[in-house]
Amino acid sequence: MHLLSAWLYIVASLRLVSVYIGIFQPWTLQQRLFPLAPAEAGALYGRTFATWTAATCVLTLATAYESPHPRSGLFLACLASFVLALSHFTSELLWHGTMTVASAVSPFFVATLSTLWMGWLVAAAA
C-alpha cells in the first residue's frame, strides 16, 4: 500500500499542475490535449477542467493520506474518479475525435495504471 500512496501523491501533484494550466493557460489544453478541436477547449472549458481536476486532486490526496484501504468509500470514490477520467479521454479520442493518440498517452497512462492497480486491490480484498 505504501507504493500506492506514493503513486497517488505523484498523481495529485500532476493534477495540481493541470489545475494551474486549466485556469491560467487554457491554450495549453487546446494545443497539447485537444489538438484536433482546439476551438472546443477554450477558456471556459479550461476553468471547468481545472475545477473537476481540483476536486479529484483533493480526493486523491485524501486517499493517499489515509493509507488506502480497498474497502473504504474514499478508496472506491478515488477509483471511480480514475474510471471517469479514463472514460472521458477514451470518448474524446475515439468518439469525439478531439485528441490524437500522442495527446492521449499521458492521461491514458495515469488513468489506466491507477484504475488497474486500485481495481486489482479491490478484487483482492473481496
Side-chain angles (χ1 to χ4, degrees), residues 35-112:
L36 300 179
E40 293 184 36
L44 176 60
Y45 176 80
R47 292 187 302 272
T48 304
F49 180 84
T51 301
W52 161 258
T53 304
T56 63
C57 180
V58 169
L59 185 60
T60 304
L61 282 172
T63 305
Y65 180 77
E66 289 295 323
S67 298
H69 188 278
R71 291 189 179 177
S72 74
L74 184 61
F75 187 95
L76 296 173
C78 187
L79 172 57
S81 77
F82 286 115
V83 171
L84 288 170
L86 189 56
S87 299
H88 170 68
F89 291 117
T90 299
S91 71
E92 291 301 324
L93 177 68
L94 301 177
W95 182 276
H96 301 292
T98 60
M99 300 178 82
T100 64
V101 171
S103 68
V105 167
S106 178
F108 268 81
F109 174 78
V110 171
T112 300

Side-chain angles (χ1 to χ4, degrees), residues 12-34:
S13 299
L14 295 172
R15 286 179 169 179
L16 282 177
V17 172
S18 295
V19 169
Y20 176 86
I21 289 170
I23 294 171
F24 299 108
Q25 298 177 346
W27 61 88
T28 302
L29 295 174
Q30 293 172 316
Q31 296 168 353
R32 293 190 182 164
L33 200 54
F34 303 108

